[in-house]
Amino acid sequence: MDLAALSRGLDTIWVVLTAAMILLMEGGFALLEAGFVRQKNAVSIIMKVFVDITFGALIFYFVGFALMYGKDVGGFIGSSGFMMGGDLSHINLNITHDTYWLFQCAFVIAVISIVSGAVAERIHFKAYILYTIIMTGLIYPLAGHWVWAVGGWLGKLGMIDFAGSAVIHALGGFSALAAAIFIGPRIGKFAADGKANIVPPSNLPLASVGAFILWFGWFGFNSGSTLSATNGSIGHIAVTTMLSAAAGGATCILFTMFRYKKADPPMVINGSLAGLVGITAGCSFVSDGAAILIGAVCGIAMVLVTEYLESKQIDDPVGAFAVHGISGSLGTLAVGLFAKPELTEGIGQGYYGLFYGGGWNLLGIQALGLALISVWGFALTWAAFWLIRKITPVRVSKDEELIGLDVGIHGVPAYNQEHDFLDVERLTAGK
């Protein structure tokens, strides 16, 4: 075997394994969200995750990948690659197009899962399926094309978003915000005077395990974005990812102890996730110290934004916007401040942060791209739900919400607490 073939083989194994790590994050999303919502809605969370994986993968195969990575038209949209056919020669990588599709498919499934948590406990299942089709087939692919595709106009301007703080997390976060506002708060979440009522999580140990799985998968998310097993930056990416997550969690422990007089477990869980989101754009381009600072700032911002949303009677059960929308935005802008010249040499001259003498150019490009992607996600999500409402109810009925979506929509509870009378009868008969 020649060295070129060996290199392709190693890169293929690396990308497939990291794609699998990202797909495992869906288990993390499922556990995290099921732990944060009430017990009567745990099955509905699991079912939405299955919609993300099944419908998301199929729609991305049929349509989404082509619009995102197909042959460029005007810097805005792709035109080839539907069902992986047509001309994809412009995608010149050391892996096959099929391998590349698998990795990108894992990303698109993560995007829709961000929105899932923000509408938990009250969205109608049919409406969620339709929205998943729109997000994975149109909203995300076009935003991704602008930044990551060959010829994408924001990429040509010089926007840096290594693994998706903007394209995945800010887009998903602002889409989640639009969905949460459109569908309205859960029954009983806010009192008549506007104050938020506490809705206790059903299972914090379950949520914490979900967070740890997401943390694990994030090493595939960030390091896998090199698309090469021999890329020398893999170790650095893994270190910055770890440090930012740790800083986000540690800062939340200290900040909530100061603010609430007790370390708040849900906030700490989301603080670590906020650090992971924040470092995703610049994990390959910033120093270890900058990664710690990014994680810490994202952790504090997440707490403050969570409080602000509740003060405005916006119900986001899992903190999707505070974690993904805000931290994704801060992480995208942080690249324009902290990107080091020696780490961005392969991108082009002048593409480094303000604090390293790069001037305002990169920061301005990052801000422009972030603003457009965020507005795109919010506006298209609002429009999507407006259209969906013409076809089917977006929100479940009052009775279905009160009894719980598990029984009301799916016809089965998450935990069967009834006695198995058949076994009791059998044991009795044996005496």
Side-chain angles (χ1 to χ4, degrees):
M1 180 183 292
D2 60 28
L3 290 178
L6 178 61
S7 175
R8 285 193 297 273
L10 289 173
D11 289 349
T12 298
I13 293 171
W14 170 249
V15 173
V16 170
L17 286 177
T18 52
M21 291 173 66
I22 301 170
L23 286 170
L24 181 62
M25 292 172 71
E26 291 307 299
F29 276 116
L31 295 177
L32 177 78
E33 293 175 15
F36 272 164
V37 303
R38 288 166 290 185
Q39 181 175 309
K40 64 182 181 180
N41 294 308
V43 169
S44 71
I45 291 294
I46 306 303
M47 290 300 294
K48 289 207 294 294
V49 170
F50 271 103
V51 170
D52 299 341
I53 295 175
T54 56
F55 283 86
L58 291 171
I59 297 302
F60 193 65
Y61 175 77
F62 287 123
V63 179
F65 183 82
L67 299 181
M68 188 165 179
Y69 288 108
K71 195 170 182 180
D72 177 66
V73 177
F76 289 92
I77 192 170
S79 61
S80 62
F82 297 95
M83 293 187 289
M84 297 303 293
D87 183 11
L88 293 173
S89 59
H90 55 283
I91 304 178
N92 186 21
L93 298 169
N94 201 36
I95 55 176
T96 65
H97 293 149
D98 284 345
T99 305
Y100 188 55
W101 176 87
L102 180 67
F103 189 81
Q104 297 302 331
C105 176
F107 270 26
V108 73
I109 292 169
V111 174
I112 184 62
S113 295
I114 294 169
V115 182
S116 169
V119 295
E121 301 199 286
R122 73 265 201 214
I123 192 170
H124 201 287
F125 191 59
K126 293 177 183 177
Y128 186 76
I129 292 174
L130 292 174
Y131 177 71
T132 297
I133 293 171
I134 296 170
M135 170 59 92
T136 57
L138 178 67
I139 300 175
Y140 169 73
L142 263 64
H145 184 89
W146 303 343
V147 180
W148 288 334
V150 176
W153 74 278
L154 284 174
K156 289 170 68 175
L157 280 179
M159 184 175 182
I160 297 176
D161 191 10
F162 186 75
S165 284
V167 174
I168 293 176
H169 297 286
L171 176 76
F174 276 90
S175 297
L177 178 64
I181 295 173
F182 187 95
I183 201 169
R186 290 166 290 176
I187 295 173
K189 171 60 182 175
F190 297 102
D193 61 1
K195 292 183 179 179
N197 293 317
I198 296 175
V199 181
S202 63
N203 194 325
L204 277 177
L206 198 71
S208 66
V209 171
F212 292 138
I213 293 174
L214 287 169
W215 195 329
F216 169 79
W218 229 288
F219 290 106
F221 210 99
N222 287 356
S223 296
S225 292
T226 60
L227 301 176
S228 172
T230 57
N231 189 299
S233 64
I234 289 174
H236 177 68
I237 292 170
V239 169
T240 56
T241 299
M242 184 68 197
L243 291 175
S244 187
T251 302
C252 271
I253 290 173
L254 297 176
F255 188 62
T256 57
M257 287 175 67
F258 170 78
R259 196 167 182 82
Y260 309 138
K261 309 307 178 185
K262 294 180 180 179
D264 187 282
M267 289 293 190
V268 172
I269 290 171
N270 276 348
S272 294
L273 297 179
L276 288 165
V277 170
I279 198 59
T280 299
C283 54
S284 183
F285 308 119
V286 303
S287 67
D288 296 352
I292 294 172
L293 179 60
I294 290 168
V297 171
C298 288
I300 294 173
M302 183 277 302
V303 175
L304 297 176
V305 171
T306 299
E307 293 177 355
Y308 177 78
L309 290 185
E310 291 207 337
S311 72
K312 297 299 180 181
Q313 298 188 44
I314 298 172
D315 187 12
D316 182 353
V318 304
F321 176 69
V323 171
H324 299 277
I326 294 302
S327 301
S329 298
L330 291 173
T332 302
L333 296 175
V335 175
L337 299 173
F338 299 110
K340 297 182 69 175
E342 60 267 33
L343 298 177
T344 58
E345 289 177 354
I347 298 175
Q349 186 175 3
Y351 289 108
Y352 44 92
L354 176 67
F355 296 153
Y356 290 90
W360 297 93
N361 181 54
L362 179 57
L363 182 59
I365 293 169
Q366 296 294 104
L368 172 65
L370 171 65
L372 290 172
I373 289 169
S374 300
V375 170
W376 170 259
F378 187 97
L380 266 289
T381 294
W382 192 278
F385 278 111
W386 183 84
L387 290 172
I388 291 169
R389 191 168 58 183
K390 304 290 184 181
I391 303 170
T392 187
V394 170
R395 184 167 180 147
V396 298
S397 69
K398 181 179 179 180
D399 288 343
E400 288 168 334
E401 184 173 347
L402 290 175
I403 196 173
L405 275 61
D406 292 0
V407 173
I409 297 296
H410 301 290
V412 60
Y415 307 98
N416 187 357
Q417 297 176 342
E418 298 293 331
H419 293 292
D420 191 333
F421 291 103
L422 182 62
D423 285 349
V424 171
E425 189 175 77
R426 185 181 299 118
L427 289 171
T428 304
K431 288 184 178 180

